[in-house]
Structure formats: structure tokens, C-alpha cells
Amino acid sequence: MIVKDESGSLQRCLNAVRDVVDEIIVVDTGSVDDTPEIARLHGAVVIRAEWNGDFSKARNLSLAVATKPWILVLDADEVWVQTPPMKAELVQLLAASRDDVWGYWIQVTSLLGVSGEERVTDAVCRLFRNDPRIAFQGRIHEEIASSIMALIPQGVLHSELEVIHYGYLEQVITAKNKGARNMQLIRSALNPEGNQPELLYALAAEWFQQAKYDEALRLLQPLLAQLMPDCGYHSDLVLKTAYAWREIGSPERALAVVEAWAPVYEDFPDLLELGAVLELDQGREDMALDWLKLAKTAASTASRYTSVSGAGTYRSLTLEGMAHERAGRWAEAEAAYTAALGVQPGSLPAWQRLLLLAAATGRPHAIAGAATRVCLPPVAWQVLIPAALATHRPEWLLRHAAALAAPLRAQPLAAGLALAQLGEDAAARAALQPWAVHAQHGPEAALALWALGHKQPGGRNARAAARRQAALPAAAHAAEALLQRGARARSSGRAPGPLGGATPGVSAAPAAGDVLAAAQALAGVGAWAAWLRLLQALPPRGALALLAALPPAARCGLLRAPASVREGLLALCGTPAGSQQPHADAVPTPERVTHALLAGMLALLAGRQNLAREWAESAQLTARQSAATGRPATTIPPGLHILLRLTAPGAASAKEYTNQCNMLLVHL
């Protein structure tokens, strides 16, 4: 091991291997905490070494001290998976290794996000023979497999051994500032050593991690043209190149990369899944399903590559559900999402898509069906509660009361919000009021009570609450200012003007997040008239921007609003011709395309198919004009392909036409 200031994780790492290894060698490169002491307490030989920016040099120093015939390499932020089958396999591998086997690929599973909700697996050579000819290479992202294969080309075999890596969790990356550190090391290595492909790829990977895809592509493209599949990281190079093209708005170029290399990597499920995503991007659902069939057949070989958890299994099934969903095949989509949950009951993307499908297409049995077939974990039931409330399906809470008993205790405002949606406003207020002073739930309860006040004619209760300024959260302050501004404009017969100082403590421009929170609170209790007035009081295009910012479940809830509310929203959209006027050019193209798509969907829901078609063609024209003028590429969103399909002659006579319109609003 090499370590520096790892006192927070080293003990966890060493505890996991104390019954596996015969000796522990730790190279410390300058710790100022008690890392060396922790290592010695576990019987480690600790070697102090000055850090010079070269990971391989430090690693090789530790190898030189090893005395046993086999070496296992770990980092302090990793944990050896210590199970009886894993220990038995390790013993068997080392005892039965042939003379031509010099190392083993170990699966390193990196936890991502806040708590490891996503995982990436990679096959890395960490277990190998102790031989002076075997050494690490590379100042950063060092590896040893090429050293072994230079001696014996087929000398590294796959194994089922696994290590869990915690170093990619968000809090760890932030605390250690790994991105800046890696950039500095790579740049310093490039200067004296020239443009080595390994270092250029490492630099591209850092740009990629920072979502600077243009910078990454400037390095990835020439590397892809230069390197061959035996370079050791070629599959990842292909995947990153295709993904980067997609992210900068060139799905066709991304798909060309995938198609070119899929025959070479026919057992790489992540690449095959990306092919499916790119077909979905371009509205070709059946071609996406063809890619997903290939991905599912490659699931068993995912461990040979850097692969995201679920590739070829529950992630492919979720994408399969999305493809069927977009084609209007609800039963097939439901089956795919349920199958994904059968593989991974904790797959929230599959569960959330199933919930929205059930809400938007009136298929509540889909939830009960999944719960019958799959032992859903507590987190799935916790997610159902806000989904039911956002989509205005409070009856779900009653239907699944037994499974939701514990989650409802952890979400005490849910009962009051459900009562409000059922029209029991007095009971809702009584349920919410005690929580208004709660340290954790108080602000949300106060906002819900303010929103309930706006269900009364003229919002009498809300205005009374507004006079008690200190009791209102910032979102309510911001919304009150806008509502009062709109009321003044209506009484004077003119459009709302700039926000003045009507409400003490409110800035001239309310924060977009506060307005969004207030809008969701109004919708959450069914105060639809006030919700519409709030959107009418926003600046031009503000209503469409707010709709686009809503989570899918909240847009699904809009389907339960009175038709007059959706008609009022449509009136705020203006006309397709107006969206193409010269002054509209100041609005970013992606925003204009999204706004035209939203306006078209609202027109569809209002039964105005011709107007919806005009908006769809306006969005398509905007995207094409952007590409023709050399501006940054604007990908036509998948929703636009569906909108064009739904506004084609004769489309309205299709059996599931209404539900397809509903799903389009939910998922854009």
C-alpha cells in the first residue's frame, strides 16, 4: 500500500485483510495524522518516503520490500470483500496457479454519488507474483498488467475476487480535491516526458470527469485513431468518445463510434446500451430494442470492462421499458420495469418510471403487481409517498397503507397533503398545523399551510398569513410578491410590470428556486387557480421555464388539474410565429426548443392538434437553424420526435393516443 493522511479509512481497509495476508507493507508519503501508527498497530512494516508526484515509484518501493511469493495491492479507501467463498477462491487460485499464470484481474467496484447508489466495476490486476521484473508503470493511473504481459502475454487471468472502492464518493472527492491534484500531476508529467498516449488519455479522462466534453474530445479523437484494442484502456476510450459526442449534441457522430467498434466489443454491455440510448435520442425505439438485446446477452462479461452496475441486466431492462413507453406499449413497458426490479429491487430509476407510468396512464395495478412479484426494499416505499403526492394520486397511500406505515411516520406531512388533495382542507390544516414549528419539517409545513390558504376564494387565509411575515418561508414571500404584482396588473388592465417593493424583505427579482418551491406547494395542495396566477405573474417565458424545471412527477400532477388551468397555461405560450421573431434570438436555442415542445404538448392536451403541429415544426426549425448558423449543436429532444408523430395526420385516432400525450408531458 501507499498512503498519506488516511487515518479515516486505513483501519477499515486493514481489518478486512488481517486474516488473508501474511505481511503488510505500507509506504507513507508524508502523513501528518496518525496513519503510520494505525498501520503499525496492524503489524505493518511502515516505510517513510518523500512524495515526488510519481505513483509508480512509490508503489514499486513497496514491492521491493515484499517477501512472500504473491502480492496483493490495495488502497486505503478500499475494502477487500471478505466472504467465505471469496477466501476459498483466493486460496484455490494461489495453490493451483500454473507456472504460466502470473497475475489475476480483480473486480474493483467503485461506489458513486452520495452513498454508493450507483457503482462502476473495473477489472484491475491487483494480485500477482512477487518478481523483480514486475513493476508498476505510469506516474498517474499506474498499472502493472502491461509489465506482466510483457513477460507472458497471456499471464493474467480473470477471477471472481472483489474490492470495494470508496474513493469516488462525492464527499471523498470534495475533501481530497482529487480532480485538481490529478490535473497537476498529469500536466507536470507531460512537460518533461512529451505527449505519451497514456498521459493524454489520463488528461482526457479528467476533462471528461469535469464534464468538459469539448476539451476531452480534442484528446480522445486522435487517441482513438491512433491506439489499438490491446492498449489496455481502449474500450473505455471508445465509450468516453461516443458519450462525449452525445453530450455536446452530436448523437449521430456518437452512434457512428459505437457502430464502428461494437463488432470488436460485442461483449461490452455498456457500449451496447449506449447504442440503445443514442437510438432513443433520435426517436428510433425499435432499433434501440435491438441494441438492448445485444446488451443483455453480454451481461455476463461486464466484469471484463469498466462497467456501470446493472449494465446488461436491470439497467438494460429499464431502457427497454423506456423504449416501449415511448412507442405507447404500456404493458411491455410495465413488464420491463417489473423485470428490472426483479433483478435489482432497489433500482430506483425502474421503480420511479413504473410509478409515473401507472399515474399517467391510469394503471395503478402496475404498482401492486410489482409489489407482489418483488420484495421491494424500504427505500422503494419511501419514494412512493412523494411520487403519489406529486402526481396527485393520494389513493395510493390508502391502497398500500400496510407497506407504507413506517415510511409515513418518517414523512409526517404526507397525511395532511393527501387530505388537501382529497378536498378535506380543514382536516389537512389540522394535520399540518402542529408541524409548522418543528425544527426539521417546519418550513415545509408552513409553506403548505400558506398554499392551503390560497385554496380559499381570493386567498383570504394566505393574505392573512402574509401579514405575519416572520411566519412565512422565503418561497412564500417570493410568491406573494409575484401574486400581488399580478393582481395590481389585472386591476389596471395591463401586463405585469417589473417587481417593485410591494412586499418587505423580498428582492426585486425573487430567486427562481423560491418561485419553483412555491409553485410546487400550491400544486401539492390543489390550489390550481393560485398556481396559474403565479405563473401568469412571471416575466415572459417564465411560465414555460418553470414548467420545464418541474420534476416529471410534478408535471404528471398537472394532468389532474382542471382543464381550464392547462388552457390558461397554453395562453401564456404565445404563438409559434412569435417564437421565431428576431427578439427571440436572445433566448438560448435549447431553451427555445424546450419551450416550443412544452407549448406543443399543452396544445395537444387541449385537443388543438393543428396548433400542436405548428409548435412542433417551430421547435424543429429552431434546432435546424442553430446547426446551420454554426452555433453549438442542438440535439432534437426525443420528445420532439414523439410530438411530431402524435401530430401527424390520423394520429389522434390511435387507441392509446391520450395516454401517449400524457406521457409526453411527463417526460418531455
Side-chain angles (χ1 to χ4, degrees):
M1 305 180 70
I2 60 173
V3 298
K4 181 180 179 182
D5 294 332
E6 296 286 1
S7 60
S9 56
L10 182 59
Q11 184 161 324
R12 176 183 60 190
C13 174
L14 296 180
N15 282 340
V17 293
R18 61 187 176 189
D19 297 328
V20 176
V21 300
D22 300 301
E23 65 179 0
I24 300 173
I25 298 160
V26 173
V27 172
D28 187 286
T29 60
S31 293
V32 295
D33 62 8
D34 56 354
T35 294
E37 288 71 26
I38 293 172
R40 291 190 184 98
L41 284 174
H42 285 78
V45 175
V46 178
I47 302 164
R48 289 279 191 172
E50 184 178 350
W51 175 245
N52 66 352
D54 189 328
F55 280 94
S56 285
K57 186 174 182 179
R59 294 270 189 214
N60 291 332
L61 179 58
S62 70
L63 302 187
V65 182
T67 64
K68 304 303 177 182
W70 285 85
I71 293 173
L72 172 67
V73 173
L74 293 175
D75 286 334
D77 57 6
E78 295 174 340
V79 173
W80 176 264
V81 176
Q82 177 67 297
T83 62
M86 204 75 72
K87 188 173 182 179
E89 180 178 1
L90 176 63
V91 171
Q92 180 182 1
L93 288 176
L94 300 188
S97 291
R98 306 187 309 265
D99 290 342
D100 60 344
V101 177
W102 283 57
Y104 290 98
W105 301 107
I106 290 177
Q107 178 175 300
V108 177
T109 300
S110 297
L111 307 185
L112 308 179
V114 176
S115 57
E117 54 271 18
E118 288 290 339
R119 299 182 172 207
V120 171
T121 60
D122 201 1
V124 184
C125 182
R126 294 289 197 84
L127 181 64
F128 48 88
R129 291 185 186 273
N130 185 357
D131 187 286
R133 294 170 294 175
I134 297 176
F136 279 93
Q137 300 174 9
R139 291 172 63 95
I140 185 171
H141 300 309
E142 71 284 3
E143 55 82 32
I144 205 161
S146 58
S147 176
I148 298 173
M149 289 188 285
L151 295 172
I152 302 179
Q154 306 299 321
V156 184
L157 301 185
H158 285 276
S159 76
E160 297 300 318
L161 304 174
E162 184 181 9
V163 168
I164 303 297
H165 175 222
Y166 294 85
Y168 288 162
L169 291 172
E170 288 180 10
Q171 64 268 30
V172 178
I173 291 175
T174 301
K176 294 192 173 183
N177 197 15
K178 285 188 174 182
R181 179 204 69 181
N182 289 350
M183 277 288 192
Q184 182 180 357
L185 290 172
I186 295 167
R187 291 183 184 281
S188 64
L190 276 170
N191 290 333
E193 297 180 18
N195 291 341
Q196 294 180 337
E198 294 83 359
L199 290 172
L200 289 173
Y201 174 70
L203 183 58
E206 291 300 326
W207 286 127
F208 187 91
Q209 286 296 114
Q210 297 175 29
K212 295 181 179 178
Y213 299 110
D214 285 313
E215 295 286 346
L217 274 171
R218 275 194 276 272
L219 298 169
L220 293 171
Q221 276 289 96
L223 286 171
L224 187 58
Q226 170 190 351
L227 298 174
M228 300 301 291
D230 60 358
C231 72
Y233 49 88
H234 190 269
S235 60
D236 202 40
L237 172 61
V238 172
L239 189 66
K240 281 185 167 63
T241 302
Y243 189 92
W245 278 122
R246 178 180 186 256
E247 289 302 302
I248 67 169
S250 296
E252 299 87 354
R253 297 193 72 168
L255 187 57
V257 173
V258 175
E259 289 174 336
W261 290 102
V264 176
Y265 295 114
E266 60 184 6
D267 59 346
F268 186 11
D270 299 68
L271 185 66
L272 303 172
E273 279 186 353
L274 181 55
V277 170
L278 292 164
E279 296 289 8
L280 286 175
D281 284 345
Q282 298 173 81
R284 299 191 288 258
E285 292 87 6
D286 289 336
M287 296 183 76
L289 289 170
D290 290 339
W291 281 105
L292 291 170
K293 287 178 185 176
L294 297 174
K296 288 189 289 185
T297 63
S300 62
T301 52
S303 60
R304 299 177 186 174
Y305 299 95
T306 301
S307 178
V308 175
S309 54
T313 57
Y314 62 88
R315 203 172 71 156
S316 288
L317 287 165
T318 302
L319 287 168
E320 186 178 310
M322 292 170 61
H324 286 304
E325 197 178 85
R326 290 183 184 178
R329 298 188 286 258
W330 315 128
E332 291 88 342
E334 178 186 332
Y337 294 141
T338 304
L341 292 166
V343 177
Q344 174 50 272
S347 174
L348 292 185
W351 178 237
Q352 289 166 330
R353 297 289 302 206
L354 183 64
L355 294 177
L356 292 176
L357 175 69
T361 64
R363 302 171 68 86
H365 63 273
I367 302 171
T372 300
R373 296 181 183 90
V374 180
C375 183
L376 294 168
V379 67
W381 295 110
Q382 291 164 12
V383 165
L384 183 142
I385 296 170
L389 295 172
T391 58
H392 278 251
R393 297 286 178 173
E395 67 274 13
W396 289 0
L397 304 187
L398 299 174
R399 189 171 293 140
H400 302 284
L404 292 172
L408 280 169
R409 285 194 293 273
Q411 301 180 51
L413 306 187
L417 295 172
L419 287 167
Q421 292 182 8
L422 293 168
E424 302 289 341
D425 293 347
R429 186 172 289 104
L432 291 168
Q433 194 69 57
W435 295 98
V437 294
H438 190 271
Q440 179 183 352
H441 302 291
E444 186 182 355
L447 188 59
L449 288 165
W450 165 83
L452 263 177
H454 273 287
K455 288 186 76 173
Q456 304 298 317
R460 291 191 301 271
N461 290 344
R463 285 201 300 272
R467 285 193 289 271
R468 300 189 297 272
Q469 293 291 321
L472 287 180
H477 282 302
E480 279 298 328
L482 284 168
L483 288 167
Q484 291 173 24
R485 167 179 173 249
R488 289 195 302 272
R490 286 192 300 274
S491 64
S492 64
R494 51 186 171 77
L499 189 61
T503 305
V506 178
S507 64
D514 286 340
V515 177
L516 181 63
Q520 289 184 261
L522 290 167
V525 300
W528 291 112
W531 183 85
L532 180 58
R533 290 197 304 273
L534 177 63
L535 268 67
Q536 289 168 336
L538 292 171
R541 295 183 176 269
L544 288 172
L546 188 144
L547 277 179
L550 286 174
R555 284 198 299 274
C556 187
L558 183 58
L559 297 170
R560 307 280 278 185
S564 59
V565 172
R566 295 192 295 274
E567 287 277 3
L569 280 177
L570 182 58
L572 294 176
C573 296
T575 65
S579 72
Q580 297 296 329
Q581 295 299 315
H583 64 80
D585 208 41
V587 181
T589 298
E591 188 177 325
R592 290 166 60 199
V593 171
T594 300
H595 288 183
L597 175 57
L598 275 165
M601 285 188 282
L602 291 169
L604 267 187
L605 292 171
R608 301 175 64 179
Q609 195 173 28
N610 289 338
L611 178 59
R613 184 70 186 187
E614 291 177 21
W615 276 113
E617 291 172 348
S618 173
Q620 191 176 42
L621 178 62
T622 300
R624 287 174 175 170
Q625 284 176 338
S626 173
T629 55
R631 296 175 187 167
T634 299
T635 304
I636 295 178
L640 181 51
H641 293 291
I642 300 173
L643 182 60
L644 288 165
R645 189 188 309 159
L646 292 176
T647 54
S653 61
K655 181 181 177 182
E656 291 293 335
Y657 175 76
T658 300
N659 281 337
Q660 283 187 288
C661 295
N662 291 348
M663 290 300 294
L664 184 55
L665 176 65
V666 173
H667 291 299
L668 287 184

